[in-house]
Amino acid sequence: MEINYENLNSMQLDVLKELGNIGAGNAVTALSKMLDKKINMEVPQVRILELAEVPEIFGGAEVPVTGIYLRMEGDISGNIMFLLPMESSKVLLDMLMGGYRDGDEFDDMDLSALEEIGNILAGSYTSSLAALTGMNIRVSVPALAIDMAGAVLSVPIIQFGHMGDSVMLIETHFSEGNKHVKGNLLLIPDVESFVNLLEKLGVA
Amino acid sequence: MTVVMTKIGIAEVRAAKDPAVLVTLGLGSCVGVCLYDSRKKVIGMAHIMLPSSKEIKNNANKAKFADTAIVMLIEEMEAIGADRKSITAKIAGGAQMFSFKSSNELLRIGERNVEAVRRELGRHRIEIVAEDVGGNYGRTIEFFSRDGSLSIRTIGHGTKVI
């Protein structure tokens, strides 16, 4: 069976979107617990985009972003990427460590804090996926890259490229007080896992 | 005459006559293949995503793959006057943006793209005269028809012209 985001029916799409909503909700709850702060979240936007459009959501392929990448293994295999615009990366570090220094450079402490955030968000996302589908999913340690949006995104885009010419992107906005963060999550099941995932969700 | 600057997106192929500048922003694990016919001053750029159309079932988009995109690019350049015997190549990109402890085939995609591009250019007897590939960082590339120079910008890894 050949499957990609372009030829999903509306029922399948709705289920995947709902999965995105629940996953993002759990991820933000986890972040809220970690920070011990009340975090408000808007309803996540789930979008299907053409490959070439993806870097544009960050304002262009050259704009620097933080990308946190994890590998899923188990009943479903694939990757998860959590993406933050630079401004949001700084706001998050500020929330986490209280008072972000000036300047654009991140030190090792900042980088490992960002990795940890990615770990928690992706971890809670996959555990809600596991709970909903009854699947066993393990997540790797995160890898981090801060670089041009196009370059960071080339990795998931290439993976989606094995399936077709479009991607599913879950965009989450959340805030703590007047600090606003925009985060994006890409769920990239491996080609052979995609049908399996739809089956487990009862919409194959 | 004003020089037209054309952006080449992911999985796109474009040929142009002098004066022209072809640009790809934020190249990561993909490879930018830049072909130049110095006599006819025809340039072409392909933004390649994957090594081979033969490995993938859903392969209708020819501009995605090294094997099919390079053929497409040569044909487009010939259509506007290039002679394939005088075409040379410069290539850039093919970075590994993320490193995991457990090595994963999917993450080596940059390297595999570069290998495939070298192989395909060799098959068409096109010489690679300069390259800037690998590493773990993104590149913005600008290719100029006036002299076939390729300028490469990065974040934190300098700027160069090859």
Side-chain angles (χ1 to χ4, degrees), chain A residues 1-2 4 51-52 61-64 67-71 79 81 140-145 147-152 154-165 190, chain B residues 7 9-12 25-30 48-50 55-58 61 64-65 97-101 104 106-107 109 112-113 136-140 153-155 157:
Chain A
M1 182 183 174
E2 207 171 297
N4 58 52
L51 298 177
E62 255 193 318
V63 175
I68 301 151
Y69 205 47
L70 301 99
R71 178 85 192 147
N79 286 80
M81 181 176 264
S140 73
V141 254
L144 183 104
D147 211 311
M148 300 175 184
V152 171
S154 71
V155 180
I157 287 174
I158 286 171
Q159 280 189 274
F160 275 113
H162 285 93
M163 286 197 288
D165 295 307
D190 291 345
Chain B
K7 270 192 214 172
I10 195 156
E12 269 182 10
L25 304 175
L27 199 56
S29 298
C30 298
I48 286 161
M49 276 173 74
L50 291 162
E55 290 172 9
I56 284 161
K57 247 192 288 173
N58 192 347
N61 186 353
K64 261 163 76 164
F65 309 98
M97 297 304 298
F98 294 92
S99 56
F100 280 106
K101 291 198 180 68
N104 173 342
L106 281 169
L107 293 168
I109 192 70
R112 291 181 50 221
N113 277 335
N136 62 350
Y137 50 88
R139 296 168 171 91
T140 282
R153 277 202 307 275
T154 66
I155 296 181
H157 293 86

Side-chain angles (χ1 to χ4, degrees), chain A residues 2-33:
Chain A
E2 207 171 297
I3 190 132
N4 58 52
Y5 287 115
E6 289 118 271
N7 59 27
L8 288 177
N9 63 38
S10 64
M11 168 83 159
Q12 291 169 325
L13 217 47
D14 282 347
V15 169
L16 286 173
K17 284 182 178 180
E18 190 49 28
L19 197 65
N21 284 345
I22 295 167
N26 284 358
V28 170
T29 306
L31 184 67
S32 161
K33 278 187 188 146

Side-chain angles (χ1 to χ4, degrees), chain A residues 75-90:
Chain A
D75 292 337
I76 177 179
S77 61
N79 286 80
I80 290 181
M81 181 176 264
F82 189 66
L83 284 147
L84 292 162
M86 290 314 277
E87 206 43 51
S88 291
S89 308
K90 288 176 191 170

Side-chain angles (χ1 to χ4, degrees), chain B residues 43-97:
Chain B
I43 55 172
M45 190 184 279
H47 185 155
I48 286 161
M49 276 173 74
L50 291 162
S52 170
S53 62
K54 295 178 188 76
E55 290 172 9
I56 284 161
K57 247 192 288 173
N58 192 347
N59 60 4
N61 186 353
K62 290 190 163 50
K64 261 163 76 164
F65 309 98
D67 55 345
T68 43
I70 288 172
V71 174
M72 237 177 115
L73 183 59
I74 295 170
E75 283 169 1
E76 285 197 17
M77 288 174 71
E78 282 178 330
I80 56 169
D83 176 1
R84 75 165 70 201
K85 289 194 205 72
S86 51
I87 291 176
T88 56
K90 293 183 180 179
I91 63 173
Q96 179 171 334
M97 297 304 298

Side-chain angles (χ1 to χ4, degrees), chain A residues 10-189:
Chain A
S10 64
M11 168 83 159
Q12 291 169 325
L13 217 47
D14 282 347
V15 169
L16 286 173
K17 284 182 178 180
E18 190 49 28
L19 197 65
N21 284 345
I22 295 167
N26 284 358
V28 170
T29 306
L31 184 67
S32 161
K33 278 187 188 146
M34 177 170 96
L35 299 175
D36 195 21
K37 282 175 182 150
K38 186 175 180 295
I39 291 180
N40 295 309
M41 186 184 86
E42 292 168 27
V43 178
Q45 298 291 311
V46 180
R47 292 193 279 175
I48 307 291
L49 297 170
E50 281 190 33
L51 298 177
E53 291 175 330
V54 182
E56 298 305 318
I57 59 164
F58 292 94
E62 255 193 318
V63 175
V65 298
T66 301
I68 301 151
Y69 205 47
L70 301 99
R71 178 85 192 147
M72 296 184 286
E73 298 286 355
D75 292 337
I76 177 179
S77 61
N79 286 80
I80 290 181
M81 181 176 264
F82 189 66
L83 284 147
L84 292 162
M86 290 314 277
E87 206 43 51
S88 291
S89 308
K90 288 176 191 170
V91 172
L92 259 181
L93 285 174
D94 188 19
M95 283 182 191
L96 194 68
M97 313 215 271
Y100 184 73
R101 305 173 316 282
D102 285 339
D104 278 344
E105 292 291 309
F106 290 147
D107 63 21
D108 288 348
M109 182 74 175
D110 297 331
L111 296 181
S112 70
L114 285 171
E115 273 178 2
E116 192 47 30
I117 290 167
N119 208 6
I120 288 165
L121 294 179
S124 53
Y125 183 83
T126 43
S127 51
S128 61
L129 185 64
L132 279 168
T133 56
M135 289 193 287
N136 170 29
I137 307 173
R138 298 182 304 278
V139 182
S140 73
V141 254
L144 183 104
I146 298 174
D147 211 311
M148 300 175 184
V152 171
L153 282 159
S154 71
V155 180
I157 287 174
I158 286 171
Q159 280 189 274
F160 275 113
H162 285 93
M163 286 197 288
D165 295 307
S166 54
V167 304
M168 183 176 78
L169 181 95
I170 302 156
E171 184 172 296
T172 318
H173 289 256
F174 53 92
S175 53
E176 187 253 315
N178 57 2
K179 295 169 187 161
H180 191 83
V181 173
K182 183 173 110 175
N184 293 275
L185 200 125
L186 293 162
L187 176 69
I188 315 142

